[in-house]
Amino acid sequence: MLDLILTNNLTNSQTMLQSCAMNGSLWRAWLIASRPRTLPAALVPVLVGAALAIADGKFSPLLFIATLAVSLLLQIGANFANDVFDFMKGADVARRGPTRVTQSGLLTARQMLVSTALVFGVAALIGLYLVFSAGWLLIVVGALAILSALAYTGGPFPLGYYGLGDLFVFVFFGLVGVMGTFYIQTGEFDFVALVASLPVGLLITNILVVNNLRDIETDRAAGKHTLAVRLGERATRIQFVLFLMIAYAIPLLLWLMSTRYLLFALPWLSVLLAFRLARDVWRNTDPPTFNRLLARTAQLNLLFGILFALSLLLSKA
């Protein structure tokens, strides 16, 4: 079985190398490394936070664009760092997921390290505008975000290797992403923003849950003790379903907190997709199917996020 996986990975790598050579150069490899399908995870928190700010009558388009740019760059930088640090730790030898450019030889480790530094550097430069506009507190938040992204798979205590990856994603893509966007726009913290950050964080974390569920065997063999490795397959599936249930309950909670949120049910337009996804995650075990489930989880996160943001935005009336 391992021989088959390694053979398939080698074939895929050779195909990608030929594709990169035919299409020019390194840009395609960097595009692959950025993992475009994961980027909605950086978009949704900013949309939800901005929708809350608009509902409160405060919104700056320039701050929104800058916040979105920083969020996307931090996500891309984290993907770059994950790619190269997993390679350096030998965690991608029996790869089951999408192509990793360092492991497959599309880019060298040095190229990826330099690219990671450049992306985080650009994010920090744009972040200076946000600091100038919203205050010094964002220096602390931005520094923690970059350090945590690097520490996810790098450094002496890689978070993802010790079962802390889920917590990292929930905190930074949920709590920090939504509340940070709201704070940048309004200069205030708000309890509603905290509550609204919960479904965002849970659904984005579920992307990682599916990824780690698929990789339990290979991660365990590589000494990567993700939360899925620690919990086992059944408990990880329960975690996925539980996160979905809580995420869909939060809009109802907002309505119970204030009748202002009359459109609380708008995100429920996606509940059938969530039900089918939960069913398929519970039933399936083969890695190729999990790759498709991973994409569907990201799509659900984007759809729910747009509907949730729209419900908050329209609640202004």
Side-chain angles (χ1 to χ4, degrees):
M1 182 63 182
L2 181 58
D3 290 342
L4 178 60
I5 293 172
L6 292 173
T7 301
N8 288 337
N9 280 336
L10 180 59
T11 302
N12 290 337
S13 298
Q14 291 172 341
T15 302
M16 294 306 299
L17 281 167
Q18 292 169 358
S19 176
C20 281
M22 288 174 19
N23 287 285
S25 70
L26 303 175
W27 291 109
R28 180 174 173 81
W30 274 309
L31 177 62
I32 295 169
S34 71
R35 300 180 215 168
R37 291 184 177 181
T38 69
L39 298 186
L43 170 65
V44 169
V46 179
L47 288 179
V48 172
L52 284 167
I54 294 172
D56 272 16
K58 300 175 182 178
F59 180 72
S60 166
L62 285 178
L63 288 176
F64 172 77
I65 293 171
T67 305
L68 182 58
V70 170
S71 184
L72 288 169
L73 287 169
L74 289 176
Q75 172 69 17
I76 292 171
N79 288 341
F80 281 6
N82 187 235
D83 192 299
V84 66
F85 289 136
D86 268 349
F87 165 77
M88 294 170 70
K89 294 178 184 297
D92 284 338
V93 174
R95 181 74 181 154
R96 288 181 166 184
T99 300
R100 291 290 185 89
V101 299
T102 317
Q103 177 66 30
S104 61
L106 298 176
L107 292 171
T108 66
R110 186 177 185 279
Q111 287 173 316
M112 285 303 299
L113 289 171
V114 171
S115 301
T116 302
L118 286 174
V119 169
F120 282 139
V122 174
L125 287 175
I126 299 175
L128 290 177
Y129 167 65
L130 298 178
V131 171
F132 178 78
S133 301
W136 63 267
L137 182 60
L138 293 183
I139 295 178
V140 178
V141 174
L144 286 175
I146 292 175
L147 288 174
S148 297
L150 291 171
Y152 183 76
T153 51
F157 190 83
L159 301 175
Y161 284 65
Y162 290 93
L164 297 174
D166 299 59
L167 179 61
F168 160 80
V169 170
F170 176 75
V171 169
F172 281 96
F173 286 93
L175 305 184
V176 175
V178 175
M179 296 181 66
T181 299
F182 182 80
Y183 177 80
I184 289 169
Q185 292 287 342
T186 66
E188 302 172 354
F189 291 107
D190 185 84
F191 182 70
V192 172
L194 171 62
V195 175
S197 72
L198 300 180
V200 174
L202 290 170
L203 292 181
I204 293 175
T205 302
N206 259 356
I207 299 174
L208 180 64
V209 172
V210 174
N211 181 83
N212 290 346
L213 180 59
R214 178 199 64 205
D215 293 340
I216 282 181
E217 292 182 12
T218 55
D219 282 345
R220 185 182 289 117
K224 188 174 182 180
H225 303 294
T226 63
L227 185 60
V229 170
R230 294 177 182 275
L231 294 177
E233 291 188 10
R234 179 179 174 80
T236 301
R237 287 185 168 89
I238 293 174
Q239 177 192 2
F240 182 88
V241 174
L242 184 62
F243 280 9
L244 283 179
M245 293 172 64
I246 297 174
Y248 279 87
I250 296 298
L252 175 59
L253 176 61
L254 281 173
W255 177 71
L256 293 174
M257 288 169 54
S258 171
T259 54
R260 168 185 173 184
Y261 299 101
L262 295 175
L263 296 173
F264 73 93
L266 199 55
W268 279 71
L269 293 176
S270 63
V271 73
L272 182 58
L273 296 177
F275 174 80
R276 290 174 176 170
L277 180 61
R279 177 197 63 194
D280 293 342
V281 167
W282 190 267
R283 290 179 178 177
N284 288 286
T285 58
D286 60 299
T289 299
F290 267 109
N291 288 336
R292 293 190 290 273
L293 293 176
L294 188 62
R296 287 171 54 192
T297 305
Q299 291 165 4
L300 176 65
N301 162 63
L302 179 59
L303 178 59
F304 180 98
I306 292 173
L307 292 171
F308 190 39
L310 190 59
S311 72
L312 297 170
L313 183 62
L314 295 177
S315 294
K316 178 182 179 181

